[in-house]
Amino acid sequence: MKITMIGTGYVGLVTGTCFAETGNDVTCVDIIEAKIEKLCRGESPIYEPGLEEMIRRNVSLGRLHFTTDLASTVPGSDMAFIAVGTPSSDDGRADLTALFKAVESLAEVLDRKTIVVIKSTVPVGTNAKALSILEENAGHACDLASNPEFLKEGAAIDDFMKPDRVVVGVRRPEVADVLHDLYRPFLRTEHPFISMSPESAEMTKYVANAMLASKISFINEMANVCEKVGADVNDVRRGIGHDARIGFAFLFPGVGYGGSCFPKDVRALYVTAIDAGAESHMLTVIDEVNNRQKTVLTDKLESELGSSLKGKRIAIWGLAFKPRTDDIREAPALVMIDRLLKLGADVHVHDPEAMENVRQQYGDRLTYADAKYGPYSTLEKADALMICTEWKEYQHPDFALMRNLMKQPLIFDGRNLYEPSRVADAGFKYYSIGRATTGG
Ligand code: NAD
């Protein structure tokens, strides 16, 4: 199949590359020339494990192409996917400017009844609105399907290649048949292909993300209660997770969820509910609990070091909103950095992949870890270490070396990476989430 993919972000690039991997002829289009230039050189503009190798392989086999020129690729395409960003507006609504712009540009160059598919996460009713724009501008009837994406950054290729399910929203069963055929190589293990109306498909994506976000906010709130009553949230998590009705997924306490999806999607679904005249108590609370959770680690640090951090050096390990990505959108680490800078701290940071993105935002207001010495280079004369992302390389650090480098033996672990008694034995005062503070 000849496919055009509009938008080469975390979703568009992975989707386009995976479609090429199964033998389709895919052209990815973006409006950012620098991105396309990089991709044409075989370099991925984002960090996603395994992606760059897959891009290179498919480019060299002549199945994957990159351009900024939509008009050069759409004519002759069997399908065109739209995977542009839909960020939050100030009022919480999804900002659909890029999406509708992409639809208009596409309509200008459609030369026949190509199947158009919205992969971006969009509120209910967007497909219908986009269809009328498409048909009006193209001057003929069009098929516009919705195909929400459920991949996780950091495991995106695996998720795309082996999805738990594929959901499509269509108006005609024939369109679902074409999409089913396209996805068949990814569904060989009998995972379902679920066809429904565009409205239900749009809603499915938001409900899935709100459900996952609610699990995180729930366990975070329980962690805070555990701390107050002398329980250990990790034991509680183990105690409930074996219940098949509950499970373990998304029940790790921490410093809140971030990223380009959960925060904006929970807010957008809340607005959808309110606009529709439906009540929505849970969605407000999920978001509120999460915003509050992003401050708990700095609260603990302030209670230990005082609220003026002038002259204090604070190290932060982990800046990306989660491991195995360089994405820092709405990352909890950024909330902490802002507060630490406001309180006058000298902030030294490390992340295996996200430092460049943070540097673009904060410039020389932060000190960045030395590439050669890695995370330890942030610890010299540090008054405290804060851990915000659970990268694997932080799991077994050299506590003796850390103790020697740091001015004060203080660790604030926002991801519960370590066994509290072990860190205390290594000479540290150790704060974590939902567990008793040890050492000191
Ligand atoms: P992104 O911001 O990483 O990428 C979007 C890309 O679209 C950018 O490169 C941008 O330049 C490009 N673009 C914008 N307008 C364009 C146009 N008119 N023509 C061509 N390119 C254009 O976004 P993302 O993280 O890939 O997310 C895309 C959509 O998928 C969003 O709606 C998001 O909510 C959803 N989603 C994201 C994830 C995720 O993990 N990131 C997972 C599932 C769904």
Side-chain angles (χ1 to χ4, degrees):
M1 242 181 272
K2 190 169 182 300
I3 296 171
T4 296
M5 179 64 58
I6 303 175
T8 62
Y10 291 85
V11 168
L13 191 54
V14 169
T15 305
T17 307
C18 290
F19 282 155
E21 182 76 5
T22 50
N24 297 291
D25 182 1
V26 181
T27 301
C28 295
V29 184
D30 208 288
I31 46 173
I32 301 178
E33 275 181 26
K35 259 191 180 185
I36 295 300
E37 280 165 16
K38 228 173 166 185
L39 284 162
C40 289
R41 291 197 300 271
E43 293 167 33
S44 174
I46 54 168
Y47 174 74
E48 182 59 47
L51 181 60
E52 194 163 275
E53 296 90 300
M54 200 185 268
I55 291 172
R56 287 202 178 139
R57 184 169 58 248
N58 284 284
V59 167
S60 71
L61 291 169
R63 296 191 296 235
L64 184 59
H65 324 272
F66 300 100
T67 181
T68 52
D69 182 12
L70 193 63
S72 69
T73 174
V74 170
S77 284
D78 302 299
M79 303 182 97
F81 282 76
I82 302 175
V84 301
T86 50
S88 258
S89 310
D90 290 344
D91 63 0
R93 286 186 167 72
D95 179 349
L96 300 174
T97 314
L99 182 102
F100 288 132
K101 218 161 177 183
V103 170
E104 280 168 19
S105 313
L106 190 56
E108 282 169 22
V109 291
L110 277 182
D111 63 337
R112 58 183 169 141
K113 207 171 175 217
T114 311
I115 294 176
V116 179
V117 185
I118 297 180
K119 207 155 204 13
S120 302
T121 302
V122 292
V124 176
T126 305
N127 182 301
K129 199 168 163 195
L131 178 63
S132 64
I133 296 173
L134 196 61
E135 291 185 331
E136 199 177 305
N137 287 279
H140 55 77
C142 297
D143 278 310
L144 182 60
S146 288
N147 170 216
E149 181 50 56
F150 300 98
L151 62 77
K152 302 181 288 295
E153 287 175 25
I157 291 183
D158 219 36
D159 286 350
F160 196 89
M161 288 291 188
K162 290 177 253 163
D164 292 334
R165 78 302 203 186
V166 170
V167 171
V168 297
V170 293
R171 292 183 180 78
R172 297 192 303 125
E174 294 79 3
V175 175
D177 291 344
V178 177
L179 280 161
H180 197 175
D181 194 40
L182 176 68
Y183 275 105
R184 211 176 292 281
F186 309 109
L187 296 169
R188 285 163 56 88
T189 43
E190 302 301 329
H191 284 186
F193 177 88
I194 307 169
S195 177
M196 55 186 75
S197 71
E199 289 73 20
S200 298
E202 290 169 331
M203 191 67 182
T204 297
K205 172 65 192 174
Y206 281 100
V207 175
N209 274 358
M211 180 71 211
L212 295 171
S214 76
K215 289 184 86 174
I216 298 174
S217 278
F218 178 76
I219 198 69
N220 281 339
E221 191 161 281
M222 292 308 107
N224 298 338
V225 178
C226 282
E227 260 177 46
K228 296 272 184 226
V229 300
D232 180 322
V233 73
N234 200 36
D235 288 339
V236 173
R237 191 184 67 80
R238 285 164 50 226
I240 62 170
H242 287 288
D243 186 328
R245 294 167 302 176
I246 298 173
F248 283 102
F250 281 78
L251 281 182
F252 287 93
V255 279
Y257 59 75
S260 66
C261 293
F262 289 177
K264 79 169 174 67
D265 291 349
V266 170
R267 281 178 224 135
L269 183 56
Y270 171 77
V271 179
T272 297
I274 298 303
D275 284 352
E279 287 197 347
S280 172
H281 303 298
M282 284 193 58
L283 294 169
T284 336
V285 171
I286 295 168
D287 195 36
E288 273 173 20
V289 169
N290 192 55
N291 290 336
R292 167 81 196 96
Q293 197 65 17
K294 288 182 179 178
T295 68
V296 297
L297 210 60
T298 356
D299 287 347
K300 291 177 188 191
L301 180 118
E302 266 188 72
S303 70
E304 179 69 43
L305 292 177
S307 56
S308 168
L309 297 178
K310 270 211 164 57
K312 298 269 190 276
R313 181 174 291 187
I314 312 295
I316 297 186
W317 285 4
L319 305 170
F321 83 94
K322 66 173 183 174
R324 293 166 65 85
T325 181
D326 59 353
D327 197 341
I328 57 165
R329 289 178 281 189
E330 304 220 24
L334 305 191
V335 175
M336 294 179 219
I337 288 173
D338 288 341
R339 180 140 159 223
L340 294 173
L341 289 176
K342 210 167 163 197
L343 297 174
D346 172 20
V347 184
H348 291 230
V349 298
H350 174 267
D351 189 282
E353 296 296 337
M355 272 198 300
E356 262 327 296
N357 287 339
V358 170
R359 200 192 297 270
Q360 278 175 26
Q361 208 162 307
Y362 288 87
D364 58 11
R365 287 187 292 152
L366 304 175
T367 305
Y368 301 89
D370 183 299
K372 190 164 164 212
Y373 297 106
Y376 295 111
S377 68
T378 60
L379 297 181
E380 209 166 334
K381 299 193 176 60
D383 291 284
L385 164 65
M386 299 177 85
I387 300 174
C388 301
T389 316
E390 65 276 32
W391 282 97
K392 279 217 163 52
E393 69 175 272
Y394 304 150
Q395 308 263 350
H396 288 288
D398 182 340
F399 286 115
L401 173 62
M402 291 163 71
R403 180 74 190 81
N404 281 339
L405 288 169
M406 291 176 72
K407 188 160 139 200
Q408 296 198 58
L410 270 177
I411 298 178
F412 297 85
D413 178 359
R415 297 296 176 184
N416 287 358
L417 294 189
Y418 312 124
E419 182 51 49
S421 58
R422 205 179 146 219
V423 190
D425 290 347
F428 289 89
K429 185 165 187 184
Y430 178 61
Y431 289 87
S432 53
I433 305 287
R435 305 185 296 180
T437 301
T438 54

mmCIF file of all heavy atoms in Angstrom, residues 139-159:
data_model
loop_
_atom_site.group_PDB
_atom_site.id
_atom_site.type_symbol
_atom_site.label_atom_id
_atom_site.label_comp_id
_atom_site.label_asym_id
_atom_site.label_seq_id
_atom_site.Cartn_x
_atom_site.Cartn_y
_atom_site.Cartn_z
ATOM 1 N N GLY A 139 -13.798 19.071 -2.718
ATOM 2 C CA GLY A 139 -14.832 19.124 -3.753
ATOM 3 C C GLY A 139 -15.387 17.758 -4.113
ATOM 4 O O GLY A 139 -16.033 17.589 -5.138
ATOM 5 N N HIS A 140 -15.114 16.744 -3.307
ATOM 6 C CA HIS A 140 -15.717 15.432 -3.545
ATOM 7 C C HIS A 140 -15.866 14.684 -2.215
ATOM 8 O O HIS A 140 -15.278 15.074 -1.198
ATOM 9 C CB HIS A 140 -14.887 14.604 -4.536
ATOM 10 C CG HIS A 140 -13.452 14.428 -4.143
ATOM 11 N ND1 HIS A 140 -13.036 13.559 -3.183
ATOM 12 C CD2 HIS A 140 -12.328 15.047 -4.598
ATOM 13 C CE1 HIS A 140 -11.715 13.621 -3.071
ATOM 14 N NE2 HIS A 140 -11.263 14.530 -3.912
ATOM 15 N N ALA A 141 -16.639 13.592 -2.234
ATOM 16 C CA ALA A 141 -16.863 12.812 -1.004
ATOM 17 C C ALA A 141 -15.551 12.141 -0.575
ATOM 18 O O ALA A 141 -14.737 11.774 -1.419
ATOM 19 C CB ALA A 141 -17.931 11.756 -1.258
ATOM 20 N N CYS A 142 -15.354 12.040 0.725
ATOM 21 C CA CYS A 142 -14.118 11.426 1.245
ATOM 22 C C CYS A 142 -14.469 10.416 2.336
ATOM 23 O O CYS A 142 -15.529 10.486 2.952
ATOM 24 C CB CYS A 142 -13.215 12.490 1.864
ATOM 25 S SG CYS A 142 -12.644 13.735 0.711
ATOM 26 N N ASP A 143 -13.526 9.503 2.570
ATOM 27 C CA ASP A 143 -13.632 8.613 3.730
ATOM 28 C C ASP A 143 -12.660 9.116 4.775
ATOM 29 O O ASP A 143 -11.459 9.230 4.505
ATOM 30 C CB ASP A 143 -13.242 7.178 3.338
ATOM 31 C CG ASP A 143 -14.397 6.455 2.674
ATOM 32 O OD1 ASP A 143 -15.506 6.478 3.235
ATOM 33 O OD2 ASP A 143 -14.182 5.887 1.584
ATOM 34 N N LEU A 144 -13.164 9.411 5.973
ATOM 35 C CA LEU A 144 -12.287 9.866 7.054
ATOM 36 C C LEU A 144 -12.488 8.935 8.250
ATOM 37 O O LEU A 144 -13.558 8.924 8.867
ATOM 38 C CB LEU A 144 -12.594 11.319 7.432
ATOM 39 C CG LEU A 144 -11.705 11.907 8.522
ATOM 40 C CD1 LEU A 144 -10.235 11.896 8.122
ATOM 41 C CD2 LEU A 144 -12.121 13.340 8.834
ATOM 42 N N ALA A 145 -11.457 8.155 8.551
ATOM 43 C CA ALA A 145 -11.529 7.218 9.677
ATOM 44 C C ALA A 145 -10.773 7.776 10.867
ATOM 45 O O ALA A 145 -9.943 8.676 10.718
ATOM 46 C CB ALA A 145 -10.927 5.874 9.264
ATOM 47 N N SER A 146 -11.072 7.254 12.048
ATOM 48 C CA SER A 146 -10.288 7.569 13.249
ATOM 49 C C SER A 146 -9.584 6.288 13.673
ATOM 50 O O SER A 146 -10.172 5.216 13.634
ATOM 51 C CB SER A 146 -11.195 8.052 14.388
ATOM 52 O OG SER A 146 -11.659 9.345 14.102
ATOM 53 N N ASN A 147 -8.333 6.440 14.053
ATOM 54 C CA ASN A 147 -7.549 5.249 14.449
ATOM 55 C C ASN A 147 -6.624 5.675 15.590
ATOM 56 O O ASN A 147 -5.438 5.885 15.408
ATOM 57 C CB ASN A 147 -6.763 4.747 13.213
ATOM 58 C CG ASN A 147 -5.748 3.682 13.533
ATOM 59 O OD1 ASN A 147 -4.671 3.643 12.932
ATOM 60 N ND2 ASN A 147 -6.049 2.807 14.454
ATOM 61 N N PRO A 148 -7.202 5.813 16.813
ATOM 62 C CA PRO A 148 -6.380 6.295 17.926
ATOM 63 C C PRO A 148 -5.198 5.382 18.196
ATOM 64 O O PRO A 148 -5.279 4.182 17.975
ATOM 65 C CB PRO A 148 -7.362 6.299 19.105
ATOM 66 C CG PRO A 148 -8.476 5.394 18.712
ATOM 67 C CD PRO A 148 -8.578 5.471 17.225
ATOM 68 N N GLU A 149 -4.125 5.995 18.680
ATOM 69 C CA GLU A 149 -2.890 5.241 18.914
ATOM 70 C C GLU A 149 -2.673 5.053 20.413
ATOM 71 O O GLU A 149 -2.843 5.981 21.184
ATOM 72 C CB GLU A 149 -1.709 6.009 18.291
ATOM 73 C CG GLU A 149 -0.384 5.314 18.437
ATOM 74 C CD GLU A 149 -0.437 3.846 17.997
ATOM 75 O OE1 GLU A 149 -0.826 3.578 16.858
ATOM 76 O OE2 GLU A 149 -0.114 2.969 18.821
ATOM 77 N N PHE A 150 -2.256 3.843 20.797
ATOM 78 C CA PHE A 150 -2.089 3.542 22.228
ATOM 79 C C PHE A 150 -0.637 3.266 22.609
ATOM 80 O O PHE A 150 -0.364 2.804 23.711
ATOM 81 C CB PHE A 150 -2.961 2.334 22.613
ATOM 82 C CG PHE A 150 -4.430 2.556 22.366
ATOM 83 C CD1 PHE A 150 -5.048 2.072 21.222
ATOM 84 C CD2 PHE A 150 -5.196 3.286 23.262
ATOM 85 C CE1 PHE A 150 -6.400 2.293 20.975
ATOM 86 C CE2 PHE A 150 -6.552 3.517 23.033
ATOM 87 C CZ PHE A 150 -7.156 3.020 21.889
ATOM 88 N N LEU A 151 0.305 3.535 21.696
ATOM 89 C CA LEU A 151 1.709 3.209 22.014
ATOM 90 C C LEU A 151 2.223 4.036 23.181
ATOM 91 O O LEU A 151 1.710 5.112 23.469
ATOM 92 C CB LEU A 151 2.608 3.409 20.789
ATOM 93 C CG LEU A 151 2.742 4.802 20.157
ATOM 94 C CD1 LEU A 151 3.648 5.716 20.950
ATOM 95 C CD2 LEU A 151 3.272 4.660 18.749
ATOM 96 N N LYS A 152 3.258 3.472 23.847
ATOM 97 C CA LYS A 152 3.916 4.203 24.954
ATOM 98 C C LYS A 152 5.289 4.625 24.476
ATOM 99 O O LYS A 152 6.020 3.804 23.905
ATOM 100 C CB LYS A 152 4.143 3.291 26.174
ATOM 101 C CG LYS A 152 2.936 2.647 26.767
ATOM 102 C CD LYS A 152 3.316 1.802 27.988
ATOM 103 C CE LYS A 152 4.056 0.515 27.672
ATOM 104 N NZ LYS A 152 3.341 -0.499 26.919
ATOM 105 N N GLU A 153 5.660 5.874 24.717
ATOM 106 C CA GLU A 153 7.031 6.284 24.417
ATOM 107 C C GLU A 153 7.974 5.412 25.234
ATOM 108 O O GLU A 153 7.673 5.048 26.369
ATOM 109 C CB GLU A 153 7.243 7.763 24.752
ATOM 110 C CG GLU A 153 6.554 8.660 23.753
ATOM 111 C CD GLU A 153 6.645 10.133 24.119
ATOM 112 O OE1 GLU A 153 7.577 10.528 24.829
ATOM 113 O OE2 GLU A 153 5.756 10.891 23.680
ATOM 114 N N GLY A 154 9.109 5.082 24.666
ATOM 115 C CA GLY A 154 10.069 4.225 25.358
ATOM 116 C C GLY A 154 9.900 2.758 24.981
ATOM 117 O O GLY A 154 10.822 1.970 25.097
ATOM 118 N N ALA A 155 8.680 2.403 24.556
ATOM 119 C CA ALA A 155 8.429 1.023 24.107
ATOM 120 C C ALA A 155 7.551 1.090 22.861
ATOM 121 O O ALA A 155 6.754 0.200 22.582
ATOM 122 C CB ALA A 155 7.729 0.230 25.205
ATOM 123 N N ALA A 156 7.697 2.189 22.116
ATOM 124 C CA ALA A 156 6.743 2.494 21.048
ATOM 125 C C ALA A 156 6.750 1.458 19.929
ATOM 126 O O ALA A 156 5.684 1.073 19.435
ATOM 127 C CB ALA A 156 7.042 3.887 20.493
ATOM 128 N N ILE A 157 7.933 1.000 19.549
ATOM 129 C CA ILE A 157 7.984 0.057 18.421
ATOM 130 C C ILE A 157 7.351 -1.267 18.821
ATOM 131 O O ILE A 157 6.529 -1.824 18.085
ATOM 132 C CB ILE A 157 9.438 -0.120 17.951
ATOM 133 C CG1 ILE A 157 9.875 1.192 17.306
ATOM 134 C CG2 ILE A 157 9.577 -1.292 16.987
ATOM 135 C CD1 ILE A 157 11.228 1.197 16.723
ATOM 136 N N ASP A 158 7.696 -1.730 20.001
ATOM 137 C CA ASP A 158 7.123 -2.980 20.480
ATOM 138 C C ASP A 158 5.597 -2.867 20.596
ATOM 139 O O ASP A 158 4.855 -3.761 20.195
ATOM 140 C CB ASP A 158 7.725 -3.279 21.859
ATOM 141 C CG ASP A 158 7.994 -4.750 22.005
ATOM 142 O OD1 ASP A 158 8.383 -5.368 20.999
ATOM 143 O OD2 ASP A 158 7.782 -5.279 23.118
ATOM 144 N N ASP A 159 5.144 -1.762 21.160
ATOM 145 C CA ASP A 159 3.698 -1.557 21.309
ATOM 146 C C ASP A 159 3.008 -1.532 19.952
ATOM 147 O O ASP A 159 1.911 -2.061 19.789
ATOM 148 C CB ASP A 159 3.400 -0.226 22.021
ATOM 149 C CG ASP A 159 3.706 -0.289 23.504
ATOM 150 O OD1 ASP A 159 3.957 -1.399 24.018
ATOM 151 O OD2 ASP A 159 3.705 0.774 24.152
#
